Amino acid sequence: MSAPIVVGIDGSPGSRRAVLWGADEAARRRAPLTLVHAFGIPDAFYGETMPPKDWLDIRQAESRSLLREAAELAGRVHPELEIDTESTVDAPIPFLLGWSERAKLLVLGCAGRGEFGDLLLGSTAASVSARSRCPLVVVRGKERGAAAVDDPVVVGVDGSPEAEAAIELAFEEASLRKAPLVAVHTWSDADTRQVFSAARAEFSFEPLRESETRVLAEALAGWEEKYPEVGVRRVVAQDRPRHELLEWSTKAQLMVVGSRGRGGFRGLLLGSTSHALLEHAECPVLLVRSA
């Protein structure tokens, strides 16, 4: 059996959109869909072995009801899907990270409530995105079905080995969606670590813009031949990645970025760029952890 697309739900509007996005992705990939809800034991019962049984019974019933409604929603839009559900008393983060060990893709909504309520607000987001063993999608932006057929998949490229996994998945997603791909690479004169990185050493005697264009070309080498059906647009900009990627997110159906960028995308999941994408992007954001 192929690895499932796993969607974490909490009953919020953002969670509902994550279910629809995950169902679409599972249908594209002909993969099973698994909907999960972790309601956890709250701090109010800290120090006790277990909370009262009536509390557990009520929460488990609520959890199963949420999962049943989510499964019905996914089944209405894709009746052919194989759909499983799982409710657990475990805390959300270790539960999701456990699923990431065997999932094809982990999908979460934005601005959720309840157990997933702080998913995009600090340590929880950092824990899931930095430690997930599979690619992770945060569903933001346009409603399902609002993306035009020619809206591109956008990938952030920086010329590092860590970006390879993001480029590969971006081509795969563009091919599955029959969408064009935009490969975005930024550079800045102020970033000496980027300018003097190993990826640019070979082109050190060229004007910087020309060397940055070559860095992007080298990063894409081979992938265009593997996916000849995907039309590729290359964008090289003298700009900060946060600004450039957020601008492109208004025109994209999916944004793909590596989890450990360097150079133009250095520290992508460790600072303002990642927070800006997760909180302000106008399209779903796919975070890819490098091997």
Side-chain angles (χ1 to χ4, degrees):
M1 180 182 292
S2 61
I5 305 296
V6 177
V7 183
I9 72 162
D10 67 357
S12 68
S15 171
R16 182 180 184 276
R17 294 182 59 193
V19 170
L20 291 171
W21 196 98
D24 287 345
E25 188 72 7
R28 271 188 212 101
R29 294 179 173 274
R30 298 182 181 178
L33 178 68
T34 299
L35 308 174
V36 301
H37 179 244
F39 54 91
I41 298 177
D43 293 340
F45 299 105
Y46 179 77
E48 296 187 22
T49 303
M50 288 291 285
K53 186 177 184 302
D54 59 345
W55 182 92
L56 278 176
D57 290 344
I58 291 171
R59 295 310 303 272
Q60 189 156 61
E62 291 173 347
S63 178
R64 289 173 177 170
S65 177
L66 286 176
L67 288 167
R68 185 170 53 252
E69 291 172 4
E72 290 172 355
L73 175 63
R76 284 199 299 271
V77 295
H78 291 291
E80 77 286 1
L81 279 182
E82 175 188 340
I83 303 174
D84 291 320
T85 63
E86 183 176 355
S87 169
T88 181
V89 71
D90 292 344
I93 296 309
F95 180 65
L96 291 172
L97 291 177
W99 262 110
S100 77
E101 298 271 352
R102 55 194 189 275
K104 176 70 174 178
L105 193 68
L106 186 60
V107 184
L108 303 171
C110 68
R113 295 192 302 264
E115 285 69 42
F116 292 100
D118 66 341
L119 198 55
L120 302 182
L121 303 176
S123 61
T124 305
S127 295
V128 175
S129 61
R131 297 164 57 198
S132 175
R133 302 297 295 178
C134 69
L136 180 146
V137 174
V138 174
V139 180
R140 297 193 47 80
K142 303 165 186 171
E143 294 288 343
R144 176 182 179 272
V149 175
D150 57 351
D151 285 352
V153 172
V154 176
V155 59
V157 179
D158 69 356
S160 71
E162 288 78 5
E164 190 79 359
I167 294 170
E168 178 179 10
L169 192 51
F171 269 97
E172 185 178 334
E173 286 288 344
S175 178
L176 286 169
R177 297 160 182 269
K178 297 179 171 56
L181 177 68
V182 176
V184 179
H185 174 67
T186 69
W187 59 280
S188 170
D189 292 326
D191 192 340
T192 56
R193 181 173 177 177
Q194 177 182 2
V195 171
F196 296 106
S197 67
R200 290 149 184 82
E202 183 179 349
F203 315 119
S204 59
F205 295 105
E206 292 182 327
L208 192 54
R209 178 172 288 278
E210 291 182 20
S211 71
E212 296 305 310
T213 300
R214 286 180 178 267
V215 167
L216 179 56
E218 289 290 327
L220 298 178
W223 293 112
E224 290 173 285
E225 289 75 16
K226 184 175 181 179
Y227 292 92
E229 73 281 8
V230 176
V232 180
R233 176 181 174 184
R234 304 180 187 188
V235 176
V236 178
Q238 185 176 7
D239 199 355
R240 292 294 183 182
R242 168 177 173 158
H243 177 267
E244 193 69 21
L245 289 178
L246 285 175
E247 181 66 26
W248 272 104
S249 78
T250 66
K251 299 169 273 192
Q253 59 176 284
L254 180 66
M255 176 76 64
V256 186
V257 288
S259 65
R260 294 180 181 272
R262 293 179 181 170
F265 293 91
R266 177 162 47 86
L268 189 60
L269 296 184
L270 304 175
S272 62
T273 301
S274 64
H275 289 220
L277 289 171
L278 292 177
E279 295 180 5
H280 303 296
E282 295 294 331
C283 69
V285 178
L286 172 51
L287 307 174
V288 186
R289 185 180 185 275
S290 67

